[in-house]
Amino acid sequence: MKYLLAICLFKAVLGWWSTGHMIVTQIAQIVLQAENPQVLNIANQILEPLYGPMTHGISNSFVESACWPDDIKVYGFHDFDSWHFTNKPYDYDGFLNITDSGEDVIWALNQCMSTLGLLNYQTAILENALAMRFLLHFVGDYHQPLHVTTLWSRQFPSGDQGGNLFNITFDKTVTELHALWDSVMGEWEVDLVRPLTSDGWHDINMWAEWCMGNYTQEDLAEELAVSNITDWVYPTYHLGVDYAYHGIKPLEKPSEEYLKKGWQIALRQLSLGGRRLAQLLINLFGQEETLS
Ligand SMILES: *[C@@H]1O[C@H](CO)[C@@H](O)[C@H](O)[C@H]1NC(C)=O
Ligand SMILES: *[C@@H]1O[C@H](CO)[C@@H](O)[C@H](O)[C@H]1NC(C)=O
Ligand SMILES: *[C@@H]1O[C@H](CO)[C@@H](O)[C@H](O)[C@H]1NC(C)=O
Ligand SMILES: *[C@@H]1O[C@H](CO)[C@@H](O)[C@H](O)[C@H]1NC(C)=O
């Protein structure tokens, strides 16, 4: 019972729940396998020292490693919590009241890129193994509209924490707007067992294929052409304002129309995030010599 409660509390502060994160990394893996398998080898080589017991036996692959920055919260390690989001204000009633912490997801991603960009992974083994895990995770979080947008209004004069305080009527697990989006409209609210079983791998792969099939490289060409990580924020912010906070009020049940649109947006964002992650890794390691 206590364990269940801990899991529930833990869920309330996560990014995309683990399924969403693993879909992003699976998409990146599919792209890398096709375009540059050597880069995928290097990423795995960097991650590998922390596979196994150091990460509690549940992050033994490129795909599962995306979950690690949330897994550590279960063990009371909250030092990096502010790196998972950025609070771009949606200032509905002109109640703006914000202090920008600076150390947000945009800052953290740029830090990960600088660390990994030193290309010292053969000597700085732990540092790179950590930076890579953060990178895999934060690219995902950065594409969740409510990790970017926060509502400030008469009702939320100090902000709604990206929908975490915006209660809705949905089900027992998903009780606020942030969770609705993290769980992709409740579709992926039950986390897969990790290490992934063969059924788990099958599902992650199928869902990654759905995202990629519905939102191809061609569909996303305009956004994929933007290479500056900092500039990725605005389109996602607008998805927050125009869709996540649009057509729903606190305590309401999301309409069928809202859920349908939200599902499409989330799949699109997962496809975009996975493809961008592959591109970042190619930018980092595409010129590296074959190891071992
Ligand atoms: C801003 O937030 C502070 C602390 O939460 C609160 O005391 C203050 O009233 C807020 N200002 C406005 C304009 O709501
Ligand atoms: C949202 O729900 C939580 C948990 O039930 C409750 O503590 C909180 O007061 C609610 N917030 C609002 C703004 O309704
Ligand atoms: C698009 O996504 C849906 C699920 O929403 C899936 O059933 C369908 O197969 C996907 N289409 C492609 C081309 O992948
Ligand atoms: C990325 O964009 C930001 C703001 O738009 C700018 O400050 C920064 O210098 C850019 N970074 C690069 C590497 O061009």
Side-chain angles (χ1 to χ4, degrees), residues 233-250:
V233 74
Y234 300 106
T236 307
Y237 166 78
H238 285 293
L239 292 176
V241 171
D242 296 342
Y243 295 105
Y245 284 119
H246 191 80
I248 187 160
K249 297 212 169 52

Side-chain angles (χ1 to χ4, degrees), residues 151-170:
L151 173 65
W152 300 71
S153 67
R154 210 168 291 282
Q155 185 171 6
F156 300 108
S158 302
D160 79 339
Q161 297 173 14
N164 272 296
L165 304 182
F166 191 118
N167 290 346
I168 59 168
T169 304
F170 190 72

Side-chain angles (χ1 to χ4, degrees), residues 141-152:
D141 278 349
Y142 195 23
H143 286 81
Q144 205 280 49
L146 292 182
H147 275 247
V148 169
T149 322
T150 279
L151 173 65
W152 300 71

Side-chain angles (χ1 to χ4, degrees), residues 165-291:
L165 304 182
F166 191 118
N167 290 346
I168 59 168
T169 304
F170 190 72
D171 66 16
K172 278 201 184 113
T173 310
V174 170
T175 58
E176 33 80 4
L177 197 61
H178 188 94
L180 185 68
W181 282 79
D182 270 353
S183 65
V184 186
M185 309 301 117
E187 290 295 324
W188 292 323
E189 67 179 36
V190 178
D191 286 339
L192 295 170
V193 173
R194 281 184 294 137
L196 288 174
T197 61
S198 58
D199 284 351
W201 279 110
H202 170 271
D203 288 351
I204 288 290
N205 190 53
M206 179 178 70
W207 294 329
E209 299 277 7
W210 282 5
C211 294
M212 297 178 79
N214 279 283
Y215 301 100
T216 63
Q217 175 145 3
E218 219 164 54
D219 297 332
L220 301 168
E222 204 176 310
E223 277 158 286
L224 289 170
V226 179
S227 61
N228 185 323
I229 291 175
T230 308
D231 290 341
W232 293 353
V233 74
Y234 300 106
T236 307
Y237 166 78
H238 285 293
L239 292 176
V241 171
D242 296 342
Y243 295 105
Y245 284 119
H246 191 80
I248 187 160
K249 297 212 169 52
L251 306 181
E252 279 181 2
K253 188 171 181 315
S255 67
E256 283 308 313
E257 193 192 345
Y258 181 96
L259 294 173
K260 190 168 166 233
K261 190 74 199 163
W263 168 254
Q264 290 166 350
I265 290 170
L267 258 55
R268 185 179 191 284
Q269 290 300 98
L270 294 170
S271 183
L272 181 61
R275 293 172 192 280
R276 278 178 165 162
L277 175 59
Q279 194 52 55
L280 288 181
L281 292 170
I282 290 172
N283 294 349
L284 282 167
F285 304 117
Q287 307 301 319
E288 286 292 275
E289 303 272 314
T290 309
L291 293 168

Side-chain angles (χ1 to χ4, degrees), residues 122-135:
Q122 300 189 61
T123 48
I125 292 164
L126 176 65
E127 294 78 1
N128 280 273
L130 295 175
M132 179 64 82
R133 282 174 170 75
F134 282 129
L135 180 78

